[in-house]
């Protein structure tokens, strides 16, 4: 069972470069999420998609864009990377919010912007 | 708006003893779910327990129980009979099931639990 797959696992970018973090889930989940986690801190919500075709901003959306490509895939794009975006990024998915089910997480992407 | 607050940056407990990790929340949504996750040093997120806002009884999963006090807006995690493998970061989270925060899953800052032998 693959669950939630994130690519890449590690990435080093130069300031100003762009990149897309990919996330795919094979559990037919409606909702998908992107978080960032900085050292010693909690997970901060960047964007989420409660269902296919919808996306909403979380707590820290500035500098990021997302695309819910289809039900399986939810990508996160950094248009012009900044050192402040150095972080570990997690993608997650879950059943529709009406269902009492947990979110499943990918293994994370460790991004360094130099 | 949703907000989750975990006021204990770090907690220590002796092996085999019980420990309570605090979590308070704020929301204007009429229905929501509360979650606890464990993050060991390896970094993966492990789901522990879920409590629905309309559930009458406190949730339990093995050694984990959730002390849900809706009027006080608290959802504390109780770990009984602590084990060395329980040493990790613990996160409280909330997801709106209806209303303006529909589908939004928000996490607290986390509590680092250290279990001493």
């Amino acid at each position: 069972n693959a669950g939630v797959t994130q690519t890449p696992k590690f990435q080093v970018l130069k300031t100003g470069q762009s990149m897309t973090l990919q996330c795919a889930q094979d559990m037919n989940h409606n909702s998908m999420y992107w978080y960032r986690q900085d050292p010693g801190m909690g997970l901060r919500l960047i964007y989420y998609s409660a269902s296919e075709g919808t996306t909403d901003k979380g707590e820290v959306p500035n500098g990021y864009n997302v695309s819910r490509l289809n039900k399986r895939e939810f990508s996160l794009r950094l248009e012009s990377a900044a050192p402040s975006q150095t972080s570990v990024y997690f993608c997650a998915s879950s059943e529709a919010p009406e269902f009492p089910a947990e979110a499943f997480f990918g293994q994370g992407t460790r991004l360094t912007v130099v | 708006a949703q907000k989750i607050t975990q006021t204990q940056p770090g907690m220590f407990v002796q092996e085999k003893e019980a420990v309570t990790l605090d979590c308070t929340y704020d929301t204007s949504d009429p229905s929501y779910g509360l979650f606890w996750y464990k993050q060991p040093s390896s970094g993966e997120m492990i789901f522990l327990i879920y409590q629905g806002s309309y559930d009458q009884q406190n949730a339990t999963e093995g050694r984990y129980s959730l002390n849900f006090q809706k009027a006080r807006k608290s959802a504390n995690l109780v770990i009984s009979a602590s084990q060395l493998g329980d040493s990790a970061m613990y996160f409280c989270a909330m997801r709106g099931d209806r209303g303006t925060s529909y589908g939004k899953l928000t996490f607290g800052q986390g509590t680092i639990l250290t279990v001493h032998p």
Side-chain angles (χ1 to χ4, degrees), chain A residues 60-92:
Chain A
V60 289
N62 291 345
Y64 305 95
N65 286 302
V66 291
S67 295
R68 183 77 184 264
L69 303 169
N70 47 56
K71 194 171 186 179
R72 289 187 65 245
E73 299 172 286
F74 189 40
S75 63
L76 178 72
R77 183 160 179 85
L78 288 69
E79 290 292 351
S80 178
S84 60
Q85 294 178 305
T86 293
S87 191
V88 178
Y89 291 84
F90 285 97
C91 176

Side-chain angles (χ1 to χ4, degrees), chain A residues 17-59:
Chain A
Q17 286 186 319
S18 62
M19 79 161 294
T20 299
L21 280 65
Q22 306 286 354
C23 176
Q25 51 91 7
D26 62 1
M27 296 171 280
N28 201 37
H29 283 164
N30 285 324
S31 300
M32 297 187 73
Y33 309 86
W34 275 107
Y35 296 90
R36 61 176 288 173
Q37 184 177 25
D38 300 308
M41 296 182 66
L43 280 74
R44 291 186 291 171
L45 183 64
I46 305 172
Y47 273 94
Y48 67 104
S49 173
S51 60
E52 186 181 359
T54 69
T55 59
D56 284 287
K57 295 179 180 179
E59 307 164 61

Side-chain angles (χ1 to χ4, degrees), chain A residues 33 35 37 40-43 45 48 50 57-59 90 94-105 107, chain B residues 35 37 39 42-45 47 50 89 91 95-98 100-110 112:
Chain A
Y33 309 86
Y35 296 90
Q37 184 177 25
M41 296 182 66
L43 280 74
L45 183 64
Y48 67 104
K57 295 179 180 179
E59 307 164 61
F90 285 97
S94 71
E95 296 277 8
E98 298 91 323
F99 296 96
E102 72 271 28
F104 293 80
F105 283 78
Q107 291 301 302
Chain B
F35 304 81
Y37 282 83
Q39 186 179 44
S42 52
E44 71 267 34
M45 295 291 289
F47 166 73
Y50 166 85
M89 176 81 92
F91 292 106
R95 183 181 64 198
D97 297 346
R98 274 181 265 165
T100 57
S101 296
Y102 176 78
K104 187 177 184 180
L105 178 60
T106 303
F107 283 77
Q109 308 93 312
I112 299 175

